[in-house]
Amino acid sequence: MQTNITYSSFVAVGDSFTEGMSDALPDGTYRGWADLLAGRLAARGPGFRYANLAVRGKLIGQIVEEQTGPAAAMGADLVTLVGGLNDVLRPKCDVDQVCGLLEEAVERLAPSCKRLVLMRSPGRRGPVLERFLPRMERLFAFIDELGARHDATVVDLYASETVGDPRMWHEDRLHLNAEGHRRVAEAVWQALGLEPEDDWNAPLPPAVPVGWLARRTSDVRFARQHLGPWIGRRLTGRSSGDGRAPKRAELLPYEG
């Protein structure tokens, strides 16, 4: 474990996963694994700077067009790039095109930083995930190739049964909850060669069985509050990130 590693700046690139949904703070904003990681890195020395360019709902083409150029220009020590999952979860998707755009993003970002981190994104275990597994696994295999080719660190969250456990996910079934984000931050921290705080992949205790009525009530609430609006956006060509600016668009000193 290389505990003497230091990073003076960090830029996060991606979609809602990196923006921090759904790790909500009391004021209604989102924190998330990238903010948690930045806070821990900032505690290691003065002058640490952080930018988070991620915006919810962004497809990989939008990430390439809108985020990679500004991120590369910042010249940060550490850059994380997570994208493409919004694409492969859509009914129609050209996985080869997604991989090509992801490669373009990596080729732009890798030379601009000391350490590029890629991820095999986590997935909530269940029937929806199984439907998209072939696409996801093709994407993740390509991410492994990109990591090897560009000497990037690849964090495998997809293989974690713990992070995939529904108890690590928000009721929208699309985003991690606070504990899920905390574990991702720890996973990236350890992948960077820093001293572990705990076992991010430690198994959860056995789940308490949920009765039929409670499951159906949860399903109805999910459909009304989350699935319906999501379908509506897909049908009208809108995105939850339309018109939304990044929460930390500039590489500035970190303040927790």
Side-chain angles (χ1 to χ4, degrees), residues 184-251:
V184 171
E186 180 67 26
V188 180
W189 176 267
Q190 293 182 23
L192 292 173
L194 300 170
E195 186 69 29
E197 182 173 282
D198 57 29
D199 181 4
W200 68 270
N201 202 25
L204 298 176
V208 177
V210 179
W212 181 90
L213 180 59
R215 293 199 305 272
R216 297 293 78 78
T217 300
S218 176
D219 289 342
V220 170
R221 183 170 60 248
F222 161 72
R224 181 178 64 251
Q225 297 181 0
H226 304 289
L227 181 60
W230 183 85
I231 292 174
R233 290 194 297 271
R234 296 289 80 74
L235 292 175
T236 56
R238 294 179 292 118
S239 167
S240 57
D242 287 348
R244 183 175 294 275
K247 63 181 179 181
R248 295 182 65 97
E250 298 181 55
L251 189 61

Side-chain angles (χ1 to χ4, degrees), residues 56-212:
R56 65 194 71 172
K58 293 300 183 182
L59 302 174
I60 186 60
Q62 295 170 309
I63 291 172
V64 171
E65 181 178 352
E66 300 168 12
Q67 298 179 32
T68 57
M74 291 176 182
D77 288 346
L78 173 66
V79 174
T80 60
L81 166 64
V82 188
L85 204 61
N86 282 336
D87 299 78
V88 300
L89 294 180
R90 293 200 167 201
K92 294 182 179 179
C93 171
D94 184 338
V95 180
D96 289 337
Q97 182 180 39
V98 172
C99 290
L101 288 166
L102 189 61
E103 182 173 23
E104 183 178 340
V106 169
E107 289 178 344
R108 186 174 297 178
L109 293 172
S112 75
C113 62
K114 294 180 180 178
R115 174 55 51 189
L116 175 65
V117 174
L118 309 175
M119 294 188 203
R120 294 162 58 97
S121 301
R124 183 182 185 274
R125 298 296 187 260
V128 175
L129 178 69
E130 292 175 4
R131 176 184 173 188
F132 295 101
L133 278 181
R135 293 180 182 177
M136 293 172 63
E137 290 177 349
R138 283 180 59 192
L139 176 65
F140 295 156
F142 189 70
I143 288 172
D144 288 341
E145 292 180 20
L146 288 174
R149 194 186 314 158
H150 294 275
D151 192 29
T153 298
V154 178
V155 183
D156 189 1
L157 302 170
Y158 169 70
S160 170
E161 291 291 334
T162 300
V163 179
D165 189 298
R167 289 173 288 176
M168 289 289 179
W169 295 72
H170 185 258
E171 64 180 18
D172 66 5
R173 306 183 185 181
L174 287 173
H175 303 104
L176 293 170
N177 58 25
E179 176 60 12
H181 278 284
R182 189 197 69 78
R183 291 198 180 220
V184 171
E186 180 67 26
V188 180
W189 176 267
Q190 293 182 23
L192 292 173
L194 300 170
E195 186 69 29
E197 182 173 282
D198 57 29
D199 181 4
W200 68 270
N201 202 25
L204 298 176
V208 177
V210 179
W212 181 90

Side-chain angles (χ1 to χ4, degrees), residues 7-83:
Y7 296 97
S8 64
S9 52
F10 167 34
V11 178
V13 174
D15 52 32
S16 59
F17 173 68
T18 301
E19 183 186 342
M21 295 177 72
S22 286
D23 180 12
L25 295 171
D27 64 359
T29 61
Y30 292 114
R31 183 177 51 179
W33 67 265
D35 285 12
L36 292 169
L37 179 64
R40 291 178 67 179
L41 291 171
R44 291 172 61 84
F48 181 82
R49 296 176 298 153
Y50 171 49
N52 190 324
L53 307 184
V55 177
R56 65 194 71 172
K58 293 300 183 182
L59 302 174
I60 186 60
Q62 295 170 309
I63 291 172
V64 171
E65 181 178 352
E66 300 168 12
Q67 298 179 32
T68 57
M74 291 176 182
D77 288 346
L78 173 66
V79 174
T80 60
L81 166 64
V82 188

